[in-house]
Structure formats: C-alpha cells, structure tokens
C-alpha cells in the first residue's frame, strides 16, 4: 500500500542525512514553501528532544552543546523546543527543574524569513539526530526535605562567594572565601552525621558541570581539585565539554558553588597579572594563561584539602570513609573505563608563579597561609 510522503519527511530525507550545503538548501526550500508543514516540523523537533533525554542528556547539557557547536539562532530554537516538550515529561527532580528555570534567560527566536528559519531548524535537527548516548545520572537520595536551615546556609554561602568575586581587595576576598569554605565543610559534615544516624538508605547522585574552552584542561583540573576536597569525584568528557561530578547532594551543591566562584576569581586575577606582564613587554598570552590556571588549580587543591580537614573530627572519619567508598563505587559503575591525562602547555614560569600566588590569595580555609 502506498502513502503520501509529507513535506517534512521529504525535507528530512534531503537534508538530515547529507551534511552538504546543497542538501540543506533543498530541505529548507521544501519547508519554506509549505507553511502547513510547520506543526509537524515542530512536533518532530520535540521528538528529537525527548530522544535526547532518553540518551541521558539533560537541558543544561543540550543548551551548552548547541551553544558550543552552532549559533545563537540555533540556541534559541533549541530552548523553544525544550520548553515546548517539557509539559509532556513527568517530574524529573529539582535539579532538572532548576535547569528548565534557567532557560528563562534565553529569549525566543527572532523573526526571520521562512527559508532562513527552516535552514536553521534543519541544522539544529542534524545535531540532535547525532547526539551520542551519555551515562545516565542517578538522582541523589536525600534523607529529608530541605529545611529552612539548609536554605539559609546555602544562601549565606552564595552571598559570601558573590562578595569574594566582586571585591577588588585581595585581603577581603581571602576572608570571604575562607568563611564560605568553612560553611561548606560544616554543611557537608552535618549532612554526613545526619546520614549516619538515620535508618533510611542513602546513596550518592551526580551532576554535570560545563568545562568550557579556552584552557579547558586546566579548568577540568580545578574542578577535579574542588570535587576531591568536597568528597566527590569528577570525570572529564573533553569532546563534549563537561565533567560529571559524583557525590552526595550537599557536596555536589558545594562543588558547583565553589568551582564557579573560584573560576571567576581565577579569571579576574589572571587578567590583572597578564596586564602587568604585558606592561613589562611580554606577549606570550596563551602559554601564560595556561600555566597560570594550571598552577592555580594545583595550589587550590592543596589548600582546599587542608581547609576541609579542620572540620573533620576523629568520630566523623568512619562516616566520611563510608561515604567516600559509596562515591567511588558509584563512579566506577558509571565510568568503568577511564584514563588519566597529562596537563599540556604548562611551560611559562611567570604564569605558574602568578597562578600559585593567586591561589594563595584565594585560600579556602581559615588556617594561616601555607608556606
């Protein structure tokens, strides 16, 4: 039995499986000439988004990837599809909901001619069609709903880190960052003690954090250092531009907050140091920045470890050891095959020295400065 092939199917046959510009123009012309095909085209886009969720992607992952691979018009089209598909989903947890809320900052696609819009839609669908499968992220199991105390604690931490990022005085940034890490460590300790006393089962979860170019390798090292100091493990996916962080919920929150803040502080300090180097006649910007960030990440890792130990008492060690075993087991199940990589491009002595000194100024503990 024969059937009529729709305009959308003919456009897909022409453009989605052939990456040439000629094929794209053919598909776009078919769609532009048939306004009645718009509803089916949008429905197929929602299907592509739903398929991405089945492959392990989350809204923030998809937005980050489209922004990296395509242009602003494709990003806005993608966000519109995610919003349109969301009502068909069941509840997916607070982290997913928060990612959807963040899409509000990205506006709707701007008006353009039908041919250009159809071409952009087909380019986006090409990308969605070829998305690889990601490791599914386990949702963290929490023993209790967030309390007012939790909310106030995280609010204080965010406020302290925001002030540390904004201040132009290194000494003030030191004090604010130190206090924030103390609160993070204390929050993690309180959660661990509560978990040890409660009879309900507990398990780690995971989240993905973008590790964007340039200098993404050094940034991945920084995220790994922050994760390790907060009882989590990070696995970097270089081709897709993110790290998966595995840990208990309170620790995942600390990692997200602290990594973002430290990266802002590092960028500010690096820009300032680079300007001083240029004033002295040096022009090796790329190697200076790479070495700066590598040294910053290395030093921050050491200092975070010291800061966290100030919050750990002997009676808590067995609890933390048990949780770290759970995190390691969860990571190994998600990523049975990982490799280590050597940090490349660290060859600028001035950049290394400046990065180390910047990490000292952004120290994360209340102890005296390390030698």
């Amino acid at each position: 039995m024969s059937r009529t092939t729709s305009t959308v199917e003919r456009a897909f046959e022409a453009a989605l499986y052939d990456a040439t510009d000629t094929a794209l123009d053919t598909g776009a012309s078919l769609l532009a000439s048939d306004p009645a095909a718009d509803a089916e085209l949008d429905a197929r886009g929602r299907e592509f988004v739903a398929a991405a969720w089945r492959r392990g992607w989350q809204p923030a992952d998809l937005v980050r990837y489209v922004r990296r691979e395509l242009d602003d018009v494709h990003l806005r089209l993608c966000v519109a599809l995610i919003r349109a598909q969301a009502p068909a989903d069941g509840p997916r947890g607070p982290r997913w909901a928060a990612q959807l809320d963040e899409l509000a900052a990205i506006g709707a696609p701007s008006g353009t001619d039908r041919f250009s819009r159809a071409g952009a839609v087909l380019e986006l669908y090409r990308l969605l069609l070829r998305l690889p499968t990601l490791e599914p992220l386990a949702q963290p199991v929490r023993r209790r709903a967030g309390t007012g105390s939790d909310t106030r604690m995280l609010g204080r931490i965010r406020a302290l880190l925001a002030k540390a990022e904004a201040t132009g005085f290194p000494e003030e940034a030191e004090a604010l960052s130190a206090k924030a890490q103390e609160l993070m460590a204390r929050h993690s300790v309180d959660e661990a003690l509560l978990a040890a006393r409660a009879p309900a089962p507990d398990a780690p979860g995971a989240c993905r954090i973008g590790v964007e170019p340039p200098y993404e390798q050094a940034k991945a090292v920084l995220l790994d250092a922050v994760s390790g100091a907060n009882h989590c493990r990070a696995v970097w996916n270089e081709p897709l531009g993110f790290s998966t962080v595995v840990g208990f919920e309170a620790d995942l929150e600390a990692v997200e907050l602290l990594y973002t803040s430290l990266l802002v502080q590092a960028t500010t300090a690096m820009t300032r140091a680079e300007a001083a180097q240029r004033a002295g006649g040096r022009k090796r910007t790329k190697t200076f920045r790479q070495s700066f960030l590598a040294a910053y990440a290395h030093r921050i890792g050491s200092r975070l470890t010291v800061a966290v130990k100030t919050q750990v008492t002997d009676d808590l060690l067995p609890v933390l050891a048990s949780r770290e075993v759970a995190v390691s087991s969860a990571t190994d199940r998600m990523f049975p095959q990982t490799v280590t990589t050597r940090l490349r491009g660290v060859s600028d002595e001035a950049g290394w020295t400046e990065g180390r000194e910047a990490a000292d100024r952004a120290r994360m503990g209340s102890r005296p400065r390390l030698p």
Side-chain angles (χ1 to χ4, degrees), residues 62-68 70-82 103 106-107 109 124:
L62 195 54
V63 167
R64 182 171 54 245
Y65 190 60
V66 171
R67 179 184 283 120
R68 173 175 168 172
L70 298 173
D71 298 320
D72 183 69
V73 61
H74 305 94
L75 176 64
R76 292 174 183 271
L77 289 168
C78 181
V79 168
L81 283 177
I82 294 173
L103 300 182
I106 301 175
L124 174 62

Side-chain angles (χ1 to χ4, degrees), residues 309-367:
K309 285 180 178 178
T310 65
Q311 301 294 326
V312 178
T313 56
D314 290 342
D315 62 326
L316 187 60
L317 288 175
V319 178
L320 290 180
S322 174
R323 289 165 74 86
E324 287 179 1
V325 168
V327 169
S328 295
S329 297
T331 306
D332 292 342
R333 286 194 299 271
M334 289 182 67
F335 303 98
Q337 294 182 322
T338 59
V339 297
T340 57
T341 184
R342 182 184 296 275
L343 190 59
R344 303 180 295 271
V346 182
S347 58
D348 192 298
E349 183 177 355
W352 181 272
T353 300
E354 293 279 4
R356 182 182 174 88
E357 291 176 355
D360 285 341
R361 292 193 296 270
R363 72 183 188 277
M364 293 293 101
S366 58
R367 296 163 65 94

Side-chain angles (χ1 to χ4, degrees), residues 11-12 15-16 20-21 23-32 41 70-71 73-74 77 112-127:
F12 281 7
L16 291 196
T20 64
D21 290 341
L24 184 68
D25 289 345
T26 299
S29 296
L30 287 168
L31 295 172
L41 184 65
L70 298 173
D71 298 320
V73 61
H74 305 94
L77 289 168
T112 184
D113 64 274
R114 289 186 56 80
F115 177 80
S116 297
R117 185 183 188 281
V121 168
L122 289 173
E123 286 178 312
L124 174 62
Y125 288 6
R126 277 179 177 176
L127 186 73

Side-chain angles (χ1 to χ4, degrees), residues 34-37 58 81 96 119 143-144 147 170 187 189 191 245 281 284 286 301 304 316 328 338 340 347 353 364:
D34 187 3
Q58 296 194 356
L81 283 177
W96 189 288
R143 296 180 177 275
R144 56 193 171 96
T147 64
H187 187 47
V189 165
E191 289 281 329
V245 182
R284 296 173 61 194
K286 184 176 181 178
L304 279 172
L316 187 60
S328 295
T338 59
T340 57
S347 58
T353 300
M364 293 293 101

